[in-house]
Amino acid sequence: MNQLLIHKHVKYFTLCLNMLPSKHQDQDNNKLSLICFCLEGLELLNGLGFSDVERAQFSDFIYNSYYTGNGFRAVMNPSGVYDIATMSSTFFGLQSLLVLRDTINEKVDRHSIMKFVQSCQWKTGPDKGCFAPTLNIDGTPFGDSDLRLCYMAVAIRRILKYDQIPPQQRKYDIDVPALIQYVLQRVNVSGGFSCVQLSESHSGFTFCALAMLKLLDYNLPEADSHQTLNWIVHRQVNHPEVLPGELELRHEDFGGFNGRVNKLSDSCYSWWSLGSLEILNHLDLSNLSAAAQFLLLNQDHRIGGIAKEFDSSPDPYHTFLSICSLALIKDKVDFEGNTQLSGLDVLLTAPTSAVEFLDSLKW
Amino acid sequence: MNSEYTYDDIEPVALNEEQPQLCQILYTDQFKSVMGTLLALMKKNEYSDRALALTGLGIEILPSHYSIWIYRYNVIREIGKDLVDELDWLETISLDNEKNYQIWNYRQLIIEQVIGTTGQYNYHREFPIMAAMLSSDAKNHHVWTYRKWVVSRFGLFADEKENSFVEAMIEQDVRNNSAWNHRFYLKFGHEQGDAATSDVVDEELEYVKHKITVSPQNESSWNYLLGICNKFNISLQTLEGFCKQFVNDGTDSADEIELIKSSYALEVLAQVYNDDKSILYYDLLSTKYDPIRKNYWQYMKSMLI
């Protein structure tokens, strides 16, 4: 398999963007993320062929989840005092609006969004510096807090260009030193990062840590960054026949990446690993053609989309992240369709064109 | 809907009826009824037994929605719900939601409430549910992460049962990286971990070396070994003899043939030697024993001084 089925994937995203079957209803509160994956996926495939009127309608729909004084809510319907923003809805809502070329600088109040983000940061306790996914009705942080949320907080701050205004004009900034300290406590001796201190290294958390530190212009010491590089490089799955058999690997798993040691390949971890390598400036140290092969094999030839592994069903999340991986390596590997992919901004996991649009906005 | 309670007086909120929509989900009737009624109760700020019952149904159908969890948490506090019953309920939904982040965070929150009000908590009740979860998926990330919280909250680093448990898990599957990580946590993760006695370090070195001997091509056990060396500043040179038993490079005498049992042993030796042998080993890794990482091995070769 050496062809990216661009037209099929455009159809797949377009279909999902229109309607999802009821089996997806347990993702209702993650709808803004699904919308974002579809829109950004289409843009990477150069398939975002919507008219200005359609774009405006889409933006209006997304703004239904936004309300001044907070961020974006997880479900579309208001619920009184329980109508509370979440970090992920805010992150994906803003990203989606950028893809639609919506002038967010004129429509959202960045200070109030940052007030929400700031309120989610733990000020004391074992999670000090980290961010919660949302707030209780009394305004205190609530929920499982880890590096995913830290990444989203920093990405939101970047999208709102809060890091680019003089500190005295930032009404509600986050505590960056406490955040960095929290992140650095989550790197294991192996070089991978984990969700809580000394928990198992995980490539998703590793990407979040690396991308966030880079967005904050913080450089890991050389020795640490080599250790992380070594750990990430080892996530690419393969088993040479000359060595004794180990995990039950299928040939189709080769070239993919796992998220943790001794786990199987999963297409989303191709992204978290390749993205991490790119941030470490060493994308070339993995086997990129095997990486592409693994992803292309997981394509669904019937309905389009890319699955997490061979022989399973596609979903918007795995399809989007697989296309991110392919867009990242498109100039380094030959596969049919590579020249039709758009560029990718690794740190925000978003199309370059959307980030260029962001850069053109004046607050 | 829950048949014990009546919600007839509540007008369910109509879900997402405006047009056009994006990613419109075709909700089932049950979803519309439960979520619509739940939203209406939240809007009313109602704290009652029937609200509690409905949050249970809401979480079953939309388990990662924080607002329902927050609402439920506030309901149980307002109506003075028995917290142990709440833990029982959590256990009933855990097995159906293996990849859910919220359940375990909520569980911690409830247990902290129990400790806050009664001053104690019988942590033994945590083990059956964790055992059930791990028997379904022995590498469940959420459960292992939660288990670390239990260990640190109740001071079980040196607990005999916990240590036998992790030993048994490694015994059951020597490639279970979560189990190895938990072992590292028990042995070296407590606040005084840096001061772990040299006895423990020696015991663990011996233990992991035995496991590597049984199964030489296992990244988890090699990482455990290298992790100890890294944490306690033990030079890799001390591993030379151990690693060589897995590496016969065929150069020692003319009639010997190359026999490599572990790519990880080659990696360590390449770092130990830092000379022509390292070049040979990085080339062996590149061409034969770990070719997918060829570019990395060539990079490591270029970094040799």
Side-chain angles (χ1 to χ4, degrees), chain B residues 47-63:
Chain B
Y47 298 111
S48 62
D49 285 315
R50 69 172 184 175
L52 182 69
L54 200 60
T55 60
L57 284 178
I59 285 168
E60 271 177 43
I61 59 178
L62 197 55

Side-chain angles (χ1 to χ4, degrees), chain A residues 32 64-67 71-78 83-86 89:
Chain A
L32 284 172
N64 285 340
S65 303
Y66 172 71
Y67 44 102
F72 290 70
R73 70 170 80 88
V75 293
M76 300 291 154
N77 300 85
D83 201 7
I84 302 161
T86 73
S89 304

